[in-house]
Amino acid sequence: MKRFPTIAALGALATVLTSSVIAQAPAGPTDADLMASATNTSAVLTYGMGPKAQRFSPIEQINTSNVTKLVPAFSSSLGGEKQRGQEAQPIVYDGTIYVTGSYSRLFAFDAKTGEEKWEYNARLPDGIMPCCDVVNRGAAIYGDKIIFATLDAHMVALNRNTGKVIWNKTLQDYAAGYSNTAAPMIVKGKVIYGNSGGEFGIIGKVEARDVNTGELIWSRPTIEGNMGQLNGKDSTITGKTNASWPGDQYKTGGGAPWLGGTYDPDTNLVFFGTGNPAPWNSHLRPGDNLYTSSTLAIDADTGEIKWHYQYTPHDGWDFDGVNEFIPFDAKVGGKTMKLGAQANRNGFFFVLDRTNGKFVQATPFVNKITWASGYTKAGRPIFIDANRPGAPTTDKGSTVFSAPAFLGAKNWMPMAYSQQTGYFYVPANEWGMDIWNEPITYKKGAAYLGAGFTIKPLNEDYIGALRAIDPATGKIMWEYKNKAPLWGGVLTTAGGLVFTGTPEGYLKAFDAKTGKELWKFNTGSGVVGSPVTWEQDGEQYIAVMSGWGGAVPLWGGEVAKAVQHINQGGSLWVFKLPKS
């Protein structure tokens, strides 16, 4: 007699089979995938296209001989009225392009057609206080999650297939001036990020959370004197209390690491740059004001600072040190060294030993620097004291003209390093400012500057300049001059190309060796995002966000007036070669 399975048995079998299928199905990128992402040509898994964020692709299908044939594959609109400051870098995985938009939005687009799959809009409160526009620079992907930060200081993990919320954690108090705009990074199952809000007297922090739960693992304040945390308990004080900050000023010291970090698997260090000290008025806070305007090398497991280098001690010009610190290897004196490079807002291009933070060299990458004449062999700036804004009394202090302007010889827009040429490609700007100090006292949630300023162009014919720099010598190998400021990131490829965008709306391609402009396409709005590239179905694609905004139209003084005709927008543009 045959025995047929019961309904209960069939249900149990179905559960087992379903569980087996789920277990075998790939959940998504793993830690190992993220660490190997610099050589993964079929996806863009990390901000910076690899943990070191060199923004170099080994793909060479599109090259100097055929880039002139590049055409749009599709364009996808972010829609709505929230069309300003699209500074994001796309993430590409498994047939989907993920981009963040202004006002803390995240979109998933079909990578073949551009059709929107889903959209997430953060519910922002009325009281948010973003310093420099309502931007977001990108997301991080891990397993079944796509993760990004919001203007009201939250971190949100969404299901990458559906856009549904998996976890949502409050990071800081937005009413005190905190916000978050950078793309997080993921290292060993930890989401690592920095906060924004240095203009409001907040305390900068680099933190790590469990990627699966969002729970805090470690927290490292970037201002000396503040207590860190590890696994829910107090760990160590950052630096030494009152060593470089008088009185209680370390409690409102700024130093926000608002751009995010890079990671070196060789040393297990995450590198985060820190922002300006608060207030801007340097006469109110004597001392070096550690660890502002610096790069911090932080142990990825514990949050302990292993070394630091301060680019602008006792900063009085708003020369944030947040710019990306890019690890690279090169020969110095015949010996291969583990180095790192940063193009700083203060106008100098730095090379450091990334294992210990020791100074190697600093060379100017803009034509006019008035605050310092150079650096000593020990890596200390040689200040020009007459160019520090004067101390105020009851009224504002004496005004000085300073170059670079506070928006920087290079601001947030990431540079790229070519493993072919050995050059760094730096989006620079030539401008100066009238700056003066004013009396100021701290008030929670209020701007904490103590300074006034007006930005002015230095040249009639250009402000922006894309420059190829040889890190061995600091020499500028070629440059491309642009009428408007450059405010977008850079991509370089094994096809011998360099891509970047302009506020005039163009995505442009240059010869990486010579700087010759080879191709351009106008996207209809200013390009202030970071381009990426990947292969799909045997073809190479280039993608970039288009949408004018950011700090220049808000803070740019006379420069802002010169570019006020540029239209805002919000679109993802994707390009490829036409099929033969």
Side-chain angles (χ1 to χ4, degrees), residues 55-71:
R55 297 183 179 273
F56 171 80
S57 171
I59 309 174
E60 54 186 13
Q61 184 184 112
I62 300 171
N63 53 56
T64 54
S65 64
N66 62 19
V67 69
T68 56
K69 301 176 182 178
L70 206 60
V71 294

Side-chain angles (χ1 to χ4, degrees), residues 281 390-398 436-439:
N281 182 348
T393 52
T394 56
D395 199 0
K396 73 177 188 178
S398 58
W436 58 91
N437 285 325
E438 300 169 344

Side-chain angles (χ1 to χ4, degrees), residues 45-262:
L45 298 181
T46 58
Y47 188 79
M49 300 178 62
K52 295 180 181 179
Q54 292 181 346
R55 297 183 179 273
F56 171 80
S57 171
I59 309 174
E60 54 186 13
Q61 184 184 112
I62 300 171
N63 53 56
T64 54
S65 64
N66 62 19
V67 69
T68 56
K69 301 176 182 178
L70 206 60
V71 294
F74 60 82
S75 177
S76 301
S77 174
L78 271 57
E81 299 177 354
K82 300 173 180 179
Q83 309 284 60
R84 69 188 246 207
Q86 310 301 345
E87 293 185 353
Q89 178 217 285
I91 294 291
V92 185
Y93 179 73
D94 193 25
T96 304
I97 303 173
Y98 301 95
V99 294
T100 58
S102 54
Y103 293 96
S104 305
R105 297 174 293 159
L106 201 155
F107 299 79
F109 294 108
D110 188 290
K112 292 184 179 181
T113 66
E115 182 179 355
E116 182 177 309
K117 293 185 174 182
W118 55 259
E119 173 183 345
Y120 174 83
N121 282 265
R123 294 183 178 180
L124 299 175
D126 293 335
I128 57 170
M129 292 176 283
C131 147
C132 307
D133 210 359
V134 288
V135 300
N136 189 285
R137 299 188 178 93
I141 191 169
Y142 187 91
D144 63 347
K145 302 171 191 67
I146 189 82
I147 303 168
F148 82 121
T150 66
L151 286 169
D152 60 342
H154 280 237
M155 188 71 69
V156 184
L158 307 173
N159 182 288
R160 64 178 178 84
N161 295 309
T162 66
K164 301 299 183 183
V165 175
I166 296 175
W167 53 259
N168 183 337
K169 298 294 182 180
T170 301
L171 307 181
Q172 292 98 21
D173 178 10
Y174 72 86
Y178 286 92
S179 59
N180 290 73
T181 56
M185 62 190 300
I186 297 176
V187 176
K188 297 181 177 181
K190 294 185 285 291
V191 184
I192 305 179
Y193 58 91
N195 57 18
S196 306
E199 270 60 54
F200 296 94
I202 56 89
I203 293 298
K205 291 182 180 181
V206 179
E207 295 184 330
R209 290 178 179 267
D210 185 289
V211 71
N212 292 312
T213 67
E215 294 304 312
L216 186 67
I217 296 174
W218 56 255
S219 178
R220 175 51 52 196
T222 60
I223 298 297
E224 193 172 54
N226 291 279
M227 179 64 73
Q229 288 186 311
L230 178 63
N231 296 324
K233 299 178 181 179
D234 288 348
S235 56
T236 58
I237 290 176
T238 299
K240 184 180 179 181
T241 307
N242 293 138
S244 64
W245 289 90
D248 287 343
Q249 287 192 326
Y250 70 94
K251 297 179 180 179
T252 54
W258 53 265
L259 189 55
T262 60

